[in-house]
Amino acid sequence: MEDREREVLERIERRRRRPPRLRDELVTLAHGAGGKASRALVESVFLEALRNPLLAPLGDAAVLDAPAGSRLAMTTDTFVVTPRAFPGGDIGALAVSGTVNDLAMAGGRPLALSASFVIEEGVAVAELAAIARSMAAAAAEAEVPVAAGDTKVVERGGADGVYVTTAGVGAVPAGVDLDPGRIRAGDRVLLSGTLADHGMAIMLARGDLDIEADIRSDAQPLYDLVAALIAAVPAGAVRALRDPTRGGLAAVANEFALAAGVGIVLEEAALPVRPDVAGACELLGIDPLHVANEGKLLAVVAPGAADEALAALRAHPRGADAALVGEVRSEPPGMVVLDTAFGGARVVDLLVGNPLPRIC
Amino acid sequence: MEDREREVLERIERRRRRPPRLRDELVTLAHGAGGKASRALVESVFLEALRNPLLAPLGDAAVLDAPAGSRLAMTTDTFVVTPRAFPGGDIGALAVSGTVNDLAMAGGRPLALSASFVIEEGVAVAELAAIARSMAAAAAEAEVPVAAGDTKVVERGGADGVYVTTAGVGAVPAGVDLDPGRIRAGDRVLLSGTLADHGMAIMLARGDLDIEADIRSDAQPLYDLVAALIAAVPAGAVRALRDPTRGGLAAVANEFALAAGVGIVLEEAALPVRPDVAGACELLGIDPLHVANEGKLLAVVAPGAADEALAALRAHPRGADAALVGEVRSEPPGMVVLDTAFGGARVVDLLVGNPLPRIC
C-alpha cells in the first residue's frame, strides 16, 4: 500500500497548496460549474486579491462580530458600467465605493461587504484579476473586508462582460438617525464637492464623443467624511445624507423634498462644477444636475449647524470643494426649484427617458 | 397664484399616490436610468410584492436592530438559472431560499435580505412581477424581510433575461460554531433528504431531453430545520452544515474532508434518491452526487448524537427523508470515498468540466 499512501499524501499536498494553478487565460463555462475550475478561479483570482480572515474559509457565509449597541445598515447595488475601466477607477472600485457610500448615507460604518460576479464566457482572467485588485484597494481605503462572494459564468452573449453586485452591512451608532423625514424648513443643503465628474468621465470614456478633456470619475468611499461631519455638529443636526448617483442631484433633492413634504431651493451659481465638466455637459445638452456622481454627498443640516458642517466637510480631503448649495423652505412642498444664475427660477424634476445608460 | 397652488397640490398628490402607474408591458432602458420610469418599476413591481417597513422608504440602506449577543453571518449568491421558472419554483424563490440557506449553514437566523436585479431590455413586466411575488412568498416562509434592493436594465443581448443577486445577514446565536475544521474521525454524516431533485428538474425543464418525468425542484428555506437540529442535540454536537448546491454532495463532502484533514466515507446504498430522479440521472450519465440541490443539507454530527440528530431531521417536514449516509474516518485524509452497492469503493472527486450549466 506504499504507492497508495504516497498518492494520497501527494494529492492532499497538491490540494492544500495555495493558490491552485489557473492556467486558463480566458474564462470558460467550466469556471462557473462548481468543480475544480471554479475553485481555481475563485482562489487564484478573487481570494488572492481580496484575502482576509472572513473570506478565506470560502464557506457558505462569513461570520463576524456584531458591534454592541449599534443598529445595522444593509444595502446592495449592481454595477453594469460600460466601459469597465475608465479614468479614475473601474467597475471594482466603483462597486466597493458605491456600497460603502450607501451604508455611510445611513450613518453606517462599513463592517463587511459581499461581492458577486456574473462573468461572460471569454472574459480575460487578467481583467478579472485587475478588477479584484481594484476592489481590494478600495476596500482597504474604506477599511472594510470583502467577507463573502460568488461567481457565475454565463454563455457568450449572456452578459456584457462582467457585472458586479456588492452588498454591505454597516454599524449605525446609537443616536444617529438620518431620515429625510426629519428635514425641516430652514435647513441648509450642502454638497461635498463638484458635480457630474463620474457620469461625464464615463460618457467620454465610451468614446462616443469627439471631446478631449481630462475628466476623471470621483468614485471614492465616503464613510470617513460622514463620520467627520457627524462629529462636528450637535447630535441630530445632520438631518439626512444621500449620495447623488444614478439620477444625479436632481433625483436626490426630489426624494428629500417628497419625503419631508418641503420645498428645496438650489442656487445654480453655488453648485460646484469643474469647467471642463461643465463644458462637456453643455456640448451634450445634459444638465449636470442629472448626471451621476460616485464620491459626493448631499447633506441637509440644521440652520445653526451649517457653518460648522461646511467647515468640517472642507477640512477633509474628500470634501475640499464642499459648498452651501441651497436651503429648505415650506413651499412648494414636494418640489425642487433652481434659482438660476440669471435671476429666474425653474422646477428641477426627475429625468424622463434614458440619456445616460450604463454609468453605474 | 391660485392656479399655481392647485397645480402644486395636484402634483404632490400624484407623486404620493402608490403605486405609480406603470403602463409599460416590457422593460425598457428608461426603467434603469434612475428617473421616473425607474421609480415606477421599483414601486409598482418590486415594492408592491415585497413591501415591508425596512424596504418601503427605498433609501440607500435599510437600518435594522442588531440582535444582542449574536454574531453576524453574511452571504451572497447570484442566480442565472435557465429556465427562470421550473417545476417547484422560479429564480425568485430560488434566490431567497439559496441565501437563507447559506446563512442557515453558518447557524444564522436570517435577519434581512437584499435583492438586486439585472434585467434585459424587453423582458415582460408581468414576469418580473411574478418573480417578485415568488420572492415575497419564499421570504415570508423564511420569516425574513427583503430590506434593500437595486435594479439595473441592460441593452437587449446584455443579459439572458433576468439575473438575481441576493445577499443576506443573519444572527448566529452565542455558542453556535459550525466550522468544518471541527469535524473529527468517528463523526456521522447525515443528509436531510433526497439528492439531485433541483438539478434534474432544471435539466428536464430545459426541454433538451426527451424524458417525461414529474421531477420538481426541492428549493426551500432551511433555517427552521437547522434550528430544530441544533436544539435537539448537545451543544457542539453539530460540527458543520452545508447545503449541497452547485457541485452537489460531492463538492461539499470534499470541502469538509479537506478542511478537517479527514476521510469521508459515503454509503451508496444509503443515499436517498427518488426513482425517477435516479432514472433521469442514469439516462444522462450523470452521477446524482454531482447534481445541485436547493433544499437539502449535509450535517456532520458527533457519533453519540447521530440518532437524536437523525430523529430531529425526520420529525421536521423539511427533513422527512433524512438519512445517515456516511461517516468520518482518519483515512484517507482529504478524500471522499463511496462504498458502492456492489461492495467496492471509489474516490468521489470534484467534477471536471461543465456538465450542468445554469442550474442556479
Side-chain angles (χ1 to χ4, degrees):
Chain A
M1 293 293 282
E2 258 186 33
D3 279 2
R4 169 83 180 136
E5 273 173 32
R6 192 170 332 112
E7 188 204 311
V8 166
L9 290 174
E10 278 171 6
R11 185 196 177 90
I12 297 278
E13 189 46 40
R14 273 201 309 277
R15 294 173 66 180
R16 286 219 163 138
R17 211 183 299 140
R18 296 286 184 276
R21 279 190 283 203
L22 179 74
R23 286 190 169 143
D24 313 274
E25 291 186 4
L26 301 179
V27 173
T28 67
L29 290 174
H31 291 112
K36 291 186 175 183
S38 294
R39 198 177 165 99
L41 180 73
V42 167
E43 297 202 3
S44 69
V45 172
F46 295 107
L47 185 57
E48 182 68 15
L50 296 163
R51 186 181 299 275
N52 64 68
L54 291 172
L55 182 64
L58 294 178
D60 280 350
V63 178
L64 53 143
D65 289 330
S70 298
R71 285 174 304 154
L72 296 177
M74 185 181 196
T75 189
T76 190
D77 248 319
T78 293
F79 296 84
V80 297
V81 63
T82 302
R84 291 189 290 280
F86 42 81
D90 69 6
I91 193 171
L94 189 61
V96 168
S97 289
T99 293
V100 165
N101 293 349
D102 282 346
L103 294 174
M105 298 308 122
R109 176 173 59 83
L111 294 173
L113 304 183
S114 65
S116 196
F117 300 83
V118 175
I119 305 164
E120 185 185 17
E121 180 187 14
V123 163
V125 169
E127 189 194 345
L128 290 182
I131 291 170
R133 285 192 301 270
S134 286
M135 297 187 84
E141 203 179 336
E143 298 181 52
V144 62
V146 177
D150 186 35
T151 56
K152 289 290 174 350
V153 179
V154 296
E155 287 88 344
R156 210 175 289 268
D160 191 3
V162 181
Y163 300 149
V164 182
T165 301
T166 37
V169 185
V172 182
V176 172
D177 178 18
L178 300 171
D179 174 351
R182 295 176 60 246
I183 295 171
R184 294 283 171 270
D187 287 350
R188 299 296 193 269
V189 181
L190 307 180
L191 180 66
S192 70
T194 54
L195 274 184
D197 301 79
H198 175 74
M200 295 317 295
I202 296 295
M203 294 290 284
L204 295 191
R206 287 163 69 98
D208 301 345
L209 311 169
D210 201 18
I211 303 179
E212 284 287 329
D214 181 28
I215 299 178
R216 297 169 64 80
S217 167
D218 59 338
Q220 61 174 348
L222 292 174
Y223 179 70
D224 50 358
L225 182 65
V226 168
L229 171 63
I230 290 176
V233 298
V238 179
R239 313 290 203 203
L241 300 174
R242 206 68 105 221
D243 57 334
T245 56
R246 182 174 54 169
L249 182 56
V252 167
N254 269 281
E255 194 187 330
F256 281 179
L258 203 61
V262 295
I264 291 185
V265 179
L266 301 173
E267 291 293 330
E268 187 171 42
L271 294 169
V273 184
R274 286 184 208 286
D276 47 0
V277 171
C281 284
E282 199 169 323
L283 271 171
L284 290 166
I286 296 175
D287 188 334
L289 284 172
H290 290 125
V291 179
N293 313 273
E294 292 286 350
K296 302 292 157 51
L297 61 82
L298 192 73
V300 179
V301 300
D307 291 347
E308 295 148 75
L310 185 59
L313 290 174
R314 285 185 173 161
H316 194 284
R318 301 193 198 276
D321 297 322
L324 173 69
V325 299
E327 67 172 66
V328 180
R329 303 203 185 143
S330 54
E331 298 286 328
M335 289 178 71
V336 178
V337 174
L338 184 73
D339 278 351
T340 66
F342 308 106
R346 67 173 174 85
V347 171
V348 178
D349 207 344
L350 290 181
L351 213 54
V352 175
N354 177 43
L356 284 168
R358 314 293 293 278
I359 44 163
C360 59
Chain B
M1 292 291 283
E2 256 186 36
D3 277 0
R4 169 87 179 132
E5 272 173 33
R6 192 170 332 112
E7 186 203 314
V8 166
L9 289 174
E10 279 171 6
R11 185 194 177 91
I12 296 278
E13 190 45 41
R14 272 201 309 278
R15 294 173 66 180
R16 286 217 162 141
R17 210 183 301 140
R18 296 286 182 278
R21 278 190 282 204
L22 179 74
R23 287 191 169 146
D24 312 276
E25 292 186 3
L26 301 179
V27 173
T28 67
L29 290 174
H31 291 113
K36 291 187 174 182
S38 294
R39 198 176 165 100
L41 180 73
V42 166
E43 298 201 4
S44 70
V45 172
F46 295 107
L47 186 57
E48 180 68 14
L50 296 163
R51 186 181 300 276
N52 64 69
L54 291 172
L55 182 64
L58 295 178
D60 280 351
V63 178
L64 52 144
D65 290 329
S70 298
R71 286 173 304 152
L72 296 177
M74 185 181 195
T75 189
T76 190
D77 248 318
T78 294
F79 296 82
V80 297
V81 64
T82 303
R84 292 189 288 281
F86 42 81
D90 70 6
I91 193 171
L94 189 60
V96 168
S97 289
T99 293
V100 165
N101 292 350
D102 282 347
L103 294 174
M105 297 308 122
R109 175 173 60 82
L111 294 173
L113 303 184
S114 66
S116 196
F117 300 83
V118 175
I119 305 164
E120 184 185 17
E121 180 188 14
V123 163
V125 168
E127 189 195 344
L128 291 182
I131 291 171
R133 284 192 302 269
S134 286
M135 297 188 83
E141 204 180 337
E143 298 181 52
V144 62
V146 176
D150 186 37
T151 56
K152 289 289 171 357
V153 179
V154 296
E155 287 89 345
R156 211 174 287 267
D160 190 2
V162 181
Y163 300 148
V164 182
T165 301
T166 37
V169 185
V172 182
V176 172
D177 178 18
L178 300 170
D179 174 351
R182 295 176 58 246
I183 295 171
R184 295 286 172 267
D187 287 350
R188 299 294 192 270
V189 182
L190 308 180
L191 180 65
S192 69
T194 54
L195 274 183
D197 301 79
H198 175 74
M200 295 317 296
I202 297 296
M203 294 290 283
L204 296 190
R206 287 163 69 96
D208 301 345
L209 310 168
D210 201 18
I211 302 178
E212 286 286 330
D214 181 27
I215 300 178
R216 296 169 63 81
S217 168
D218 59 338
Q220 60 174 346
L222 291 174
Y223 179 70
D224 50 358
L225 182 65
V226 168
L229 171 62
I230 290 176
V233 298
V238 179
R239 313 293 203 201
L241 300 173
R242 204 70 103 222
D243 56 334
T245 56
R246 184 173 54 169
L249 181 56
V252 167
N254 269 280
E255 195 188 328
F256 281 179
L258 203 61
V262 295
I264 291 184
V265 180
L266 301 172
E267 291 292 329
E268 188 172 41
L271 293 169
V273 185
R274 287 183 208 285
D276 48 359
V277 172
C281 284
E282 200 170 321
L283 273 170
L284 290 166
I286 295 174
D287 189 333
L289 284 171
H290 291 125
V291 179
N293 313 274
E294 293 286 350
K296 302 293 156 51
L297 61 81
L298 192 72
V300 179
V301 300
D307 290 347
E308 294 149 75
L310 185 58
L313 291 174
R314 285 187 174 160
H316 195 283
R318 300 193 198 277
D321 297 322
L324 173 70
V325 298
E327 67 172 65
V328 180
R329 303 203 184 141
S330 55
E331 299 284 332
M335 288 177 70
V336 178
V337 175
L338 184 73
D339 278 351
T340 65
F342 308 106
R346 67 173 175 84
V347 170
V348 177
D349 207 344
L350 291 180
L351 214 54
V352 175
N354 177 44
L356 285 168
R358 315 292 293 278
I359 45 162
C360 59

